[in-house]
Amino acid sequence: MFTDWINKLLGLSDRIFNLMENTAANSDFDVEAQDSRLVALSGMQESVLSCGFWLSTYYSIAENHQDESMVLKYARSNLSLKKTANIMLKQINLGLVIIIHFKLENLLSSLLNKIANKKIRGLGVIFEELSQEIVINDIQEKAEVIKAFSSIRNSLHNNGIHTHPSFSINVKGLNYEFIKDGVVQCASLIHIINLIQAIIDIVEEVLESDTVKDIKEIIPDNFAEWKANPRSTRPW
């Protein structure tokens, strides 16, 4: 189980970095340039890598060494191994959902602003507006994938409850069902990773569209530039 999750996360990292390289090469700037597309993709890659690192560390200690006390010692946990692992997995889930959602919204909104000079909020609305500006296939199907991911993220505001109208969708063979006023039961790590794989498919198609590939100049990311400035006082 852990090795499968780790391999999927590392595979996602490789795919995202390939998108970064292709985006930079198409526009003829460095892959580390402070372009909003690269900044967003880099944030996604960091998120999946960090989750992979945590899982790999846990698996290496707990499975390879078969020593419960080592895991609890390194984690400085006074809880059981099972509860410690569940806490870790819960935080990995939360981190993946929040960061990927945030970076995806930043990526699509920066493109929409660049292409159509529109500044709006809300991932679903941004994707809908952007899809009208560029040519991509199966827009409604992709919008449903984003809706499912946003619904998991939004449920975090409501203690895991889906407060919007009910809907369901099948993504890459996994079912996602959201019942109004019901607990979201499709937010396991494998559900999250599966959705992110579908989202990266969408991101790739967006970045490979002719309209986006015609953008040769850097799209500024002011926050990234501020963080990169060695004279700035930054909290992280």
Side-chain angles (χ1 to χ4, degrees), residues 1-68:
M1 178 179 65
F2 277 100
T3 53
D4 184 51
W5 290 345
I6 294 165
N7 289 335
K8 287 181 184 297
L9 288 166
L10 295 180
L12 277 169
S13 172
D14 290 342
R15 285 192 63 197
I16 293 169
F17 188 70
N18 286 339
L19 290 178
M20 293 172 64
E21 288 186 315
N22 292 341
T23 298
N26 176 70
S27 299
D28 198 25
F29 48 67
D30 191 86
V31 73
E32 296 184 359
Q34 298 304 305
D35 173 83
S36 65
R37 292 162 289 184
L38 298 182
V39 171
L41 290 170
S42 178
M44 292 181 185
Q45 185 193 31
E46 289 176 6
S47 183
V48 299
L49 273 179
S50 65
C51 293
F53 292 160
W54 273 108
L55 288 173
S56 183
T57 300
Y58 176 86
Y59 176 77
S60 178
I61 297 173
E63 298 294 328
N64 292 350
H65 293 284
Q66 293 293 317
D67 189 342
E68 177 175 332

Side-chain angles (χ1 to χ4, degrees), residues 14 18 32 38 73 75 87 93 107 110 168 190 222 227:
D14 290 342
N18 286 339
E32 296 184 359
L38 298 182
K73 177 182 177 181
I87 290 172
N93 269 6
L107 171 63
S110 69
S168 61
I190 194 60
N222 294 333
K227 284 188 69 177

